[in-house]
Each structure stands twice: as C-alpha cells, then as structure tokens.
Amino acid sequence: MFNSNRITSCPLARAARGVVICPPDVFDEVAHAVAAIETEFCVFLSGVCDLESGIARIVDFYVPRQKVTAAYVEASEVFDARRYVGILHSHHSMGAFHSPTDRAGVDNAPVSIVAAVQGWSATTVWRLPCD
C-alpha cells in the first residue's frame, strides 16, 4: 500500500512514483527480525532517492540505540537525512499500517516503512522544488 498526494503544478510531480527497491538480503534480514522480535523496533535505511525517476533504492540498514515496548519505539539517535533515506519500524503482530503517530511525521524521512508479520506498508515523501 502506498499513500501519495499528487501535485500537478510542478513538472517533476509526474515523475514521483514512490517506488522503493530493496536488495533481497537486506529484505530477508529485516523480515526475519520482524518475525523474531515481539516488540517494536526501528532501523535507519541507507541508499539513494532519485527524484527524477521517483525511485528510492535501499542498500543497507543501521540499527540505532532505541527504547522499545510492544507498541512503541524511540530511537536514541536523531535521524540524519544526510546519511539515511528512510526509517523502517516494526508493528510485529499489530499489522502493517502507518498509525496516526507515524502519519504525523514522526519518521521525518523520505521513505517510511512499517513492517509486520502479516505484511509491509510503505510511504514516500518527495520534496519537490516547486513546493
């Protein structure tokens, strides 16, 4: 499931598709953690976002220090948009959806992925020069 708002006044809006590509080994490692860890957790995603193609390519992830509970995660480190393109956090068995807290911009990243045992949900936010 992808959420998108279309901006028609900027010529680059036509290119922003919100595609997220992740290598199988990275995907498998995170999927294993989602299944095995029964609390929420988060990882910072490294890679590149290409505005013209609308594609975010994930190449690796970093596990920051964090405080976790069954329904909450807070990274002790500040997300650095110069080093990372996204954040993934787990809802474990609660379901793969962006909660109101998630949608309020807690992740503050171009790519936000919520993973759960039942599936995955991703949103992308592209900052267009016409905004």
Side-chain angles (χ1 to χ4, degrees):
M1 172 175 67
F2 288 89
N3 300 326
S4 65
N5 294 322
R6 300 300 283 172
I7 299 169
T8 57
S9 60
C10 180
L12 291 176
R14 288 177 280 138
R17 298 188 235 331
V19 175
V20 178
I21 298 173
C22 183
D25 59 328
V26 171
F27 182 89
D28 290 347
E29 196 167 345
V30 173
H32 176 73
V34 169
I37 300 171
E38 295 183 3
T39 62
E40 288 202 12
F41 68 87
C42 71
V43 297
F44 296 164
L45 304 168
S46 59
V48 64
C49 288
D50 179 24
L51 177 62
E52 288 191 33
S53 69
I55 296 174
R57 293 183 187 278
I58 307 305
V59 296
D60 205 355
F61 64 90
Y62 167 73
V63 181
R65 291 183 173 268
Q66 51 199 276
K67 297 175 186 175
V68 300
T69 69
Y72 179 78
V73 60
E74 180 181 347
S76 301
E77 301 173 40
V78 175
F79 177 82
D80 183 350
R82 295 170 303 195
R83 293 182 61 197
Y84 304 106
V85 297
I87 295 177
L88 177 145
H89 76 277
S90 168
H91 279 182
H92 186 62
S93 61
M94 189 169 66
F97 64 94
H98 285 79
S99 70
T101 301
D102 301 332
R103 287 192 308 269
V106 169
D107 290 347
N108 195 26
V111 176
S112 174
I113 300 173
V114 179
V117 175
Q118 304 89 343
W120 299 59
S121 175
T123 61
T124 58
V125 177
W126 301 93
R127 298 246 185 262
L128 301 176
C130 306
D131 283 353

